[in-house]
Amino acid sequence: AVVSTQSGHYGRELKSIVAVGCCYHLITQKERTQSYMTDGPHKKQLCDPNSIHAYPISKYLQQYPLYFTRNALNLASQAPERMSTSRSLPAKNLFYRAVFHVLLQDEFGSLPARNVGHSASAAPDFFRYCKTALKKLKLCDVSDPVIQSYYERFNDGTVERQLYAFHQLRILLTRVIESLILIDRMLFLHDNEIEPSILGLFDPVVSPRCYVLVAEKLRHCTMPTFGK
């Protein structure tokens, strides 16, 4: 929105732009994908086919659109370099969430995608995670023995190790998704005769959103460039 607003509203007065991406999970797209939330405070912001600021904004990607699920946009906001440097495993609630998902499918069948919020994620154990999440989702309570049975069923270490391995492989796609979002913005500027470049400005361990989009309006615009 910043890139398209600045270039569109200031027109001839625009000389240059410096923009750092943030909060990709809240990006508005021109089409809704099946994995989006159906509730929550941001539901109306996630899809707007008539918005000039909605992804994709470049002519090329409007012609050949590639839309993202909510999970993909959440992934684009991750910090792969920080995780690699710290060499730490994902939080325990990643395992809790996966087991809870199985419990929901078995006990309640198909449900629309919804968010359990930070209160459940901060739970100290699986039992409290389930109780908090069920209350947040406004679902009827599940008995203590049933909750315990699901925990014991998957708590042999095997599933948790597989889940963490999958999580590490998934994180490798972070920069792929982020790159496509940035390229769309860069091509949009090129469409408007503004010379764009993408540069690595910050330490990705300190600031995961380390790439900056730099653009200068020129008379003769060449193809976009990428920096290190």
Side-chain angles (χ1 to χ4, degrees):
V2 172
V3 172
S4 57
T5 299
Q6 295 294 323
S7 58
H9 285 269
Y10 289 102
R12 296 179 181 178
E13 290 77 16
L14 178 69
K15 300 298 181 183
S16 61
I17 290 176
V18 177
V20 179
C22 180
C23 307
Y24 295 131
H25 62 294
L26 298 180
I27 281 179
T28 302
Q29 299 189 83
K30 294 187 185 299
E31 289 190 12
R32 177 180 289 275
T33 57
Q34 294 180 349
S35 297
Y36 269 116
M37 284 192 306
T38 56
D39 66 347
H42 302 296
K43 65 177 180 180
K44 294 182 180 179
Q45 301 177 21
L46 297 179
C47 177
D48 187 351
N50 300 314
S51 174
I52 62 172
H53 308 309
Y55 169 90
I57 55 177
S58 67
K59 293 178 181 178
Y60 184 83
L61 283 177
Q62 286 177 4
Q63 185 177 0
Y64 304 101
L66 178 61
Y67 294 100
F68 302 110
T69 63
R70 179 171 175 265
N71 283 336
L73 291 177
N74 280 333
L75 183 58
S77 302
Q78 296 297 314
E81 290 84 3
R82 182 180 295 172
M83 293 180 182
S84 176
T85 300
S86 64
R87 296 185 178 275
S88 59
L89 292 174
K92 189 73 173 180
N93 61 52
L94 180 70
F95 171 67
Y96 293 162
R97 185 167 66 243
V99 178
F100 180 68
H101 183 73
V102 177
L103 183 152
L104 285 181
Q105 287 186 320
D106 291 349
E107 300 296 323
F108 300 97
S110 178
L111 292 171
R114 296 164 67 183
N115 197 334
V116 299
H118 294 292
S119 56
S121 299
D125 53 53
F126 181 68
F127 179 79
R128 296 184 192 179
Y129 181 96
C130 289
K131 292 294 184 180
T132 303
L134 288 168
K135 183 177 180 180
K136 176 73 175 180
L137 297 175
K138 298 179 180 179
L139 296 173
C140 60
D141 197 15
V142 176
S143 67
D144 296 359
V146 170
I147 292 177
Q148 184 63 27
S149 69
Y150 276 91
Y151 183 74
E152 292 176 353
R153 174 182 168 189
F154 294 103
N155 193 38
D156 63 353
T158 302
V159 172
E160 192 167 4
R161 286 194 298 272
Q162 292 174 339
L163 183 64
Y164 289 161
F166 170 75
H167 181 73
Q168 296 300 316
L169 291 173
R170 184 171 173 266
I171 288 295
L172 296 176
L173 296 175
T174 294
R175 294 302 181 197
V176 177
I177 301 169
E178 181 181 23
S179 295
L180 188 56
I181 295 171
L182 293 176
I183 287 172
D184 177 53
R185 297 174 180 179
M186 188 169 65
L187 290 175
F188 171 83
L189 292 171
H190 187 267
D191 293 340
N192 289 273
E193 299 183 350
I194 302 173
E195 180 73 10
S197 298
I198 294 179
L199 305 173
L201 185 61
F202 307 113
D203 182 347
V205 176
V206 178
S207 176
R209 304 285 71 78
C210 58
Y211 294 106
V212 59
L213 181 61
V214 180
E216 182 179 3
K217 192 165 188 179
L218 300 176
R219 247 179 222 183
H220 302 290
C221 187
T222 60
M223 285 302 294
T225 59
F226 294 87
K228 294 182 178 181

